[in-house]
Amino acid sequence: MRIVTTITDLRGQIKQWQQTGESIALVPTMGNLHEGHLQLVRTARKTADRVVVSIFVNPTQFGEGEDFAAYPRTEREDREKLHENAVDLLFLPAVQEIYPPGCNTFITVNGISDLHCGASRLGHFSGVATIVCKLFYMVLPDFALFGEKDWQQLAVIRCMVRDLNIPVAIVAVPTVREADGLAMSSRNAYLTPAQRRRAPKLYQSLLDAREMLVSGAMDFSVIEQQQVQFLAEAGFQPDYFSICCADNLLPAARFDRDLVILVAAKLGKARLIDNVQVKKSPGD
Ligand code: PAF
């Protein structure tokens, strides 16, 4: 596995692969790699000839008072995991390489970025869209892989790619869960042992809501309120629990069929997010 830290070296290697007609898959990450990330890498391996992984803790997607400084950085372990998973190139830039002084251009995907997580993390999705767009122009990948755990992030990126006509195929990879159902996330490390035992209730709230929907419950706001209360009683500080249309993330209406249930809640220091999809058949 080759490791590069500059855009010049990155582009040099990419150019060589493009000249020999090899396809490229990009897996953007912020490091602290777990099974969820490695699943993205394995899918990338099956999808393209060359796999590029970036590790960059992107300051522009963290708001004031968020965990940018505390975000776990585990470079040595990450390198080993990527090496074991046959990654071709690791891009490991410094902040100044990506945002040199005077860098003043940001991408904003209006509308969808303001909902759900965007309402409580102002500017977060602009930071995400900006770094992902920059990486796309640096790597020029044929494919880019993202986890479904960050459903809203995926929707924002799809929207950006469509609106800016970026020639990359976005590949969504299902959420990887711990044995008790908790979605894998770097932020799970912030949980105390007692909080960790309670954390799977977040997924439980989604499964219960999905069960109600597939059994025909139609009053979405009642389900949302019930699950918020369930989480509050379980010791979470719920941010939102929303039954939405899977593509534009607007509140679902009675006859919508392709739904996603999104949840975000704080548990101690960790802000956890998760989601489940619900496909309703025309008879439901
Ligand atoms: O999902 C993440 O880890 C980050 O938001 C991403 C896509 C790597 C952009 O910094």
Side-chain angles (χ1 to χ4, degrees):
M1 179 178 73
R2 183 163 174 211
I3 302 177
V4 297
T5 56
T6 66
I7 299 166
T8 307
D9 288 348
L10 172 70
R11 287 202 165 128
Q13 180 62 81
I14 298 289
K15 203 167 180 181
Q16 276 184 23
W17 288 333
Q18 284 170 338
Q19 277 164 354
T20 51
E22 291 176 287
S23 60
I24 297 170
L26 170 67
V27 181
T29 81
M30 298 204 300
N32 192 233
L33 304 178
H34 50 65
E35 259 312 295
H37 297 110
L38 298 180
Q39 196 54 37
L40 298 178
V41 171
R42 288 183 202 115
T43 310
R45 194 59 289 165
K46 290 189 213 142
T47 307
D49 300 317
R50 297 290 182 177
V51 177
V52 177
V53 175
S54 60
I55 295 183
F56 179 64
V57 184
N58 174 37
T60 64
Q61 70 187 78
F62 290 80
E64 240 171 77
E66 291 191 352
D67 55 343
F68 174 67
Y71 197 85
R73 287 152 171 93
T74 50
E75 195 184 304
R76 196 160 48 84
E77 294 87 333
D78 291 350
R79 277 198 231 182
E80 275 164 28
K81 289 177 186 166
L82 295 176
H83 180 71
E84 282 162 16
N85 280 276
V87 165
D88 295 290
L89 182 70
L90 169 59
F91 181 43
L92 208 53
V95 172
Q96 309 85 283
E97 183 71 7
I98 300 293
Y99 299 111
C103 178
N104 258 331
T105 305
F106 288 86
I107 303 279
T108 303
V109 182
N110 289 316
I112 198 164
S113 296
D114 303 326
L115 307 169
H116 313 298
C117 282
S120 31
R121 303 188 68 194
L122 298 180
H124 168 68
F125 287 114
S126 175
V128 170
T130 302
I131 183 60
V132 170
C133 188
K134 281 167 86 73
L135 288 167
F136 284 173
Y137 281 109
M138 290 169 196
V139 178
L140 302 174
D142 301 281
F143 307 93
L145 293 93
F146 297 89
E148 285 183 346
K149 200 208 93 192
D150 296 289
W151 189 276
Q152 188 174 4
Q153 168 171 285
L154 195 51
V156 168
I157 291 167
R158 282 189 201 283
C159 207
M160 174 184 77
V161 163
R162 185 198 63 202
D163 294 351
L164 298 182
N165 311 97
I166 305 178
V168 58
I170 302 298
V171 181
V173 178
T175 303
V176 179
R177 298 183 180 279
E178 303 284 357
D180 59 9
L182 178 65
M184 289 198 183
S185 163
S186 300
R187 291 190 166 101
N188 293 349
Y190 300 153
L191 298 168
T192 64
Q195 289 161 353
R196 173 64 190 82
R197 283 193 291 280
R198 245 181 294 153
K201 288 188 189 290
L202 194 70
Y203 184 45
Q204 190 57 53
S205 72
L206 292 168
L207 295 181
D208 290 349
R210 180 163 70 183
E211 185 56 37
M212 289 179 220
L213 288 176
V214 295
S215 347
M218 281 295 176
D219 199 336
F220 298 165
S221 61
V222 169
I223 301 174
E224 290 167 351
Q225 282 160 27
Q226 276 173 355
Q227 297 312 315
V228 164
Q229 191 177 339
F230 166 78
L231 289 170
E233 283 166 6
F236 291 78
Q237 284 171 267
D239 180 355
Y240 62 82
F241 190 100
S242 306
I243 301 170
C244 324
C245 295
D247 52 355
N248 60 21
L249 306 190
L250 291 172
R254 213 181 162 80
F255 298 110
D256 290 324
R257 299 273 158 247
D258 195 4
L259 310 182
V260 63
I261 314 175
L262 303 174
V263 65
K266 275 196 92 176
L267 186 56
K269 281 196 209 138
R271 185 175 188 280
L272 305 177
I273 60 171
D274 201 352
N275 65 79
V276 293
Q277 286 174 265
V278 189
K279 301 237 188 243
K280 294 178 87 196
S281 55
D284 290 343

